[in-house]
Amino acid sequence: MDHATYLTALRGRLAADGCTVQDTSLGPVAAIAGYRGNFLPQMMFSRIHLFTVAAAVQDVGAFAVDDFTRRVGEYGRATKGGMRGAQSGIAAFAVLVGDRVHPDAVPAATRPAKIEFAVRTQPVVVDLSAGVVHTFRGRQFWGFALNGFLRRKLALYVPDPAQPLSHPQALDS
């Protein structure tokens, strides 16, 4: 599988779930960005602004994971970050799709999501050569009510590259 095929499938999954999808750039990297806002009952009907930003790169190392994750967090804050706090927050998946994933990228992608004031940014590395997705899959105390919601969205949006790429049913929440 190549970058274009994978990103096309990811774009289709975002659109099928009702996300607004657009092309953007983060620093020197061309990316696609999906956005969806949700009011979540488990968060006392707080609004969660969910961003999924994905870019294709040849080589993925720890620096690339950290830098892209930081840029995705900044993108989310710049786009929807004016009124966040008790009733509004931002969650973002920073997805790097690569052919070669260096060993130092795996721990960078699998540590808990970075959390700043009402912004949670989770790195995700899709290793096309190995056919796996590297990301944190545990639970975090901050935003514990979001854990299940974010795991479902991640599974929906970021398919395992070893599996057939279809467009699944959208999730209601």
Side-chain angles (χ1 to χ4, degrees), residues 45-169:
F45 293 97
S46 294
R47 185 165 183 79
I48 299 301
H49 301 283
L50 177 60
F51 291 90
T52 303
V53 183
V57 294
Q58 292 298 315
D59 292 303
V60 181
F63 176 80
V65 172
D66 292 341
D67 184 59
F68 190 69
T69 301
R70 178 184 56 78
R71 290 177 189 267
V72 169
E74 290 171 356
Y75 176 83
R77 279 189 297 279
T79 305
K80 293 287 183 186
M83 298 292 286
R84 64 185 196 278
Q87 294 295 311
S88 180
I90 296 170
F93 298 125
V95 183
L96 282 176
V97 180
D99 292 319
R100 288 181 298 275
V101 175
H102 298 275
D104 66 345
V106 175
T110 56
R111 66 178 166 242
K114 182 178 179 179
I115 299 169
E116 295 176 350
F117 178 69
V119 179
R120 177 178 171 164
T121 309
Q122 180 172 338
V124 181
V125 172
V126 178
D127 185 343
L128 294 178
S129 62
V132 297
V133 175
H134 301 286
T135 192
F136 179 73
R137 301 210 187 260
R139 296 177 186 261
Q140 288 186 254
F141 180 73
W142 183 91
F144 67 91
L146 281 176
N147 287 322
F149 170 77
L150 292 176
R151 278 196 306 275
R152 287 189 305 276
K153 291 298 185 180
L154 181 66
L156 180 69
Y157 298 159
V158 183
D160 182 343
Q163 301 299 319
L165 298 177
S166 62
H167 294 240
Q169 295 288 330

Side-chain angles (χ1 to χ4, degrees), residues 3-65:
H3 296 132
T5 303
Y6 189 88
L7 289 176
T8 298
L10 191 145
R11 180 188 295 268
R13 286 167 171 249
L14 291 168
D17 195 42
C19 294
T20 301
V21 183
Q22 65 184 21
D23 295 318
T24 190
S25 61
L26 296 179
V29 179
I32 61 170
Y35 165 75
R36 178 177 171 152
N38 289 85
F39 285 102
L40 301 180
Q42 66 268 35
M43 297 276 303
M44 299 175 62
F45 293 97
S46 294
R47 185 165 183 79
I48 299 301
H49 301 283
L50 177 60
F51 291 90
T52 303
V53 183
V57 294
Q58 292 298 315
D59 292 303
V60 181
F63 176 80
V65 172

